[in-house]
Amino acid sequence: MSVSEEIARLVYVGASHEPQWFIQYCKDLPDVGPGEVLVKVRLATICASDLHTFAGVRNEPLPAVLGHEAVCDVIIDRRSNEENEFVFLPDRNTEHDGTEENDQSDSSIPLSPGSRVTFGVPLSCKQCERCRLGVTQKCKSLFKYGHCALNDGGGFSGCYATHMLLRAGTHIVPLPPQVTDKMAAPINCALATIVNVVENARTQSRNKVALVQGAGILGTYACAMLSRKGYQRVLCTDVNQSRLNAIRKFGGEPLYAQDVSKYTDFADCVIEVCGSPSVVEDGINMLRYGGTYVWAGMVHRDSMLSVTGESVIRKSITIKGIHNYEDRHLTEAVTFLRDTCHLFPYEELLSPMTFSLKDFGKAVHLAESRTFLRVGIQP
């Protein structure tokens, strides 16, 4: 398929190479097959997982087009009605506070050319045992955008590119007009995951106090969502003082290191999204008897724990590990963002400046400085 506009993709060749990537300009886009959707990338953001890849501590198939967080415009949609051509969102106005559960309302947004959308990063078969058990993100034949080899499919499966080809079966959600690109770019990774995390953090008896360990983008989204889900207090810890101080803007209450010991047996749920195993002992101590502890940040090899089984058993706590999300969690993420975008300054999570593919190295350098929770790329 030929088009008149520029077609380019950033091809990553590995952490041991110098440079690690190069820009490849293409004459043609891949043909769009039945069930597939061709999109143009409006804004992408650099996830921490890609920073780990660039640092050589995370392996990906090579060469590859990385990047999985993005807002896109639909160019060609070859899905049929039976393939979920219309995505339904609850019909609520922007003044809703986001506290109620999603309903099955009548508002639909057609996925026509020019529609602004987000997409599910994990793509599952929906038929294997894991999918049937409700963990589709762990499908035995799982495909993930931004985490596959260049020759796996049409070569446009990552968002560090001008275009992407979304495969048949990909969950695609239109974005409401009040949700800006800067608000929406990271949500198909971070916010959708937090929807899954918060869903699994609730206990059967009491859900009034939550502790979030980590004030990065996952922790920031967690504080915002918990504060709108009926929790009376949402405490947050982090070693980065500037991030911790900023958490107040998103419904969180900073809990500084010197005060942690004052909150023993205090929280109904604890959510770990900082990635550090050193916080687990504090998390168990701060969790009340019968509470729930969700781990979502320690997705790396350096996560050996030093806690005892006794500390878990005697407090009768539940520990859950959550990784990624199901399709429905992305739909709820878009709905939550729409209903709370007037309450929380989501655009502040991104760097005020964006970078082109030609300046991708500068963008990575800024992202590595941790000055902003996300850095934007406009291919």
Side-chain angles (χ1 to χ4, degrees):
M1 174 185 173
S2 299
V3 293
S4 58
E5 59 186 298
E6 182 178 87
I7 306 166
R9 56 192 180 190
L10 190 93
V11 180
Y12 176 71
V13 292
S16 62
H17 289 71
E18 184 57 45
Q20 293 188 17
W21 53 73
F22 64 90
I23 298 176
Q24 183 178 60
Y25 295 94
C26 306
K27 179 181 178 182
D28 298 321
L29 285 166
D31 292 333
V32 185
E36 297 180 335
V37 180
L38 178 67
V39 297
K40 181 174 177 60
V41 178
R42 294 173 59 95
L43 178 66
T45 45
I46 301 176
C47 179
S49 64
D50 287 340
L51 296 181
H52 295 156
T53 301
F54 300 146
V57 297
R58 179 187 174 107
N59 296 322
E60 298 285 7
L62 299 174
V65 178
L66 301 180
H68 53 272
E69 300 179 345
V71 174
C72 305
D73 281 335
V74 172
I75 298 176
I76 298 175
D77 180 4
R78 292 204 60 194
R79 299 185 302 170
S80 66
N81 289 339
E82 290 75 18
E83 292 169 312
N84 198 26
E85 184 173 353
F86 294 91
V87 177
F88 290 84
L89 293 177
D91 187 11
R92 297 187 182 132
N93 59 48
T94 58
E95 295 305 311
H96 191 273
D97 66 4
T99 58
E100 297 178 18
E101 298 296 323
N102 285 350
D103 56 23
Q104 301 296 320
S105 298
D106 301 326
S107 177
S108 64
I109 305 176
L111 193 58
S112 57
S115 295
R116 201 167 51 103
V117 299
T118 184
F119 59 90
V121 175
L123 175 58
S124 61
C125 72
K126 306 294 192 296
Q127 297 176 352
C128 69
E129 180 185 23
R130 295 175 188 174
C131 288
R132 293 196 307 269
L133 290 173
V135 281
T136 57
Q137 70 272 34
K138 295 300 163 185
C139 173
K140 289 185 177 181
S141 57
L142 184 70
F143 173 82
K144 293 180 71 175
Y145 290 98
H147 297 284
C148 64
L150 187 64
N151 61 3
D152 184 357
F156 287 87
S157 296
C159 64
Y160 301 150
T162 55
H163 299 77
M164 294 182 69
L165 182 64
L166 303 181
R167 298 185 176 196
T170 299
H171 187 59
I172 303 174
V173 185
L175 294 170
Q178 62 267 44
V179 175
T180 66
D181 289 356
K182 292 186 73 172
M183 292 177 186
I187 68 171
N188 66 332
C189 178
L191 182 53
T193 296
I194 285 302
V195 171
N196 193 11
V197 167
V198 170
E199 177 183 292
N200 280 275
R202 296 185 66 82
T203 71
Q204 294 181 350
S205 52
R206 187 182 68 193
N207 298 283
K208 294 183 178 181
V209 179
L211 167 67
V212 177
Q213 295 176 305
I217 196 165
L218 288 167
T220 300
Y221 282 142
C223 288
M225 180 161 282
L226 289 164
S227 71
R228 307 310 304 170
K229 292 288 186 179
Y231 288 83
Q232 296 173 2
R233 296 186 69 180
V234 181
L235 305 174
C236 185
T237 60
D238 199 287
V239 295
N240 186 314
Q241 295 299 301
S242 61
R243 287 186 176 184
L244 191 57
N245 291 335
I247 209 69
R248 294 185 190 276
K249 298 180 181 180
F250 294 88
E253 178 182 337
L255 178 59
Y256 300 101
Q258 65 269 21
D259 298 321
V260 167
S261 61
K262 301 176 183 177
Y263 291 88
T264 300
D265 303 336
F266 189 76
D268 298 303
C269 71
V270 177
I271 293 173
E272 177 279 314
V273 283
C274 64
S276 174
S278 64
V279 305
V280 172
E281 185 175 357
D282 281 341
I284 291 175
N285 288 338
M286 295 180 68
L287 193 63
R288 68 164 171 83
Y289 283 71
T292 299
Y293 199 169
V294 179
W295 298 344
M298 295 181 290
V299 194
H300 52 82
R301 292 185 295 270
D302 188 21
S303 54
M304 187 70 69
L305 302 176
S306 60
V307 298
T308 65
E310 181 184 30
S311 64
V312 174
I313 296 168
R314 288 192 179 278
K315 294 193 77 171
S316 297
I317 64 175
T318 298
I319 296 179
K320 298 181 181 180
I322 298 297
H323 189 222
N324 297 146
Y325 58 89
E326 300 174 55
D327 289 349
R328 61 186 177 85
H329 295 125
L330 178 59
T331 302
E332 185 175 338
V334 173
T335 304
F336 179 79
L337 193 67
R338 181 198 65 186
D339 293 342
T340 61
C341 62
H342 62 296
L343 299 174
F344 303 117
Y346 292 116
E347 288 194 350
E348 293 183 11
L349 302 179
L350 271 65
S351 59
M353 68 293 290
T354 58
F355 298 84
S356 67
L357 290 181
K358 294 178 182 178
D359 289 325
F360 190 76
K362 295 179 181 178
V364 171
H365 181 72
L366 180 59
E368 289 174 337
S369 73
R370 310 292 179 175
T371 304
F372 304 99
L373 297 183
R374 285 294 188 268
V375 173
I377 305 293
Q378 285 187 306

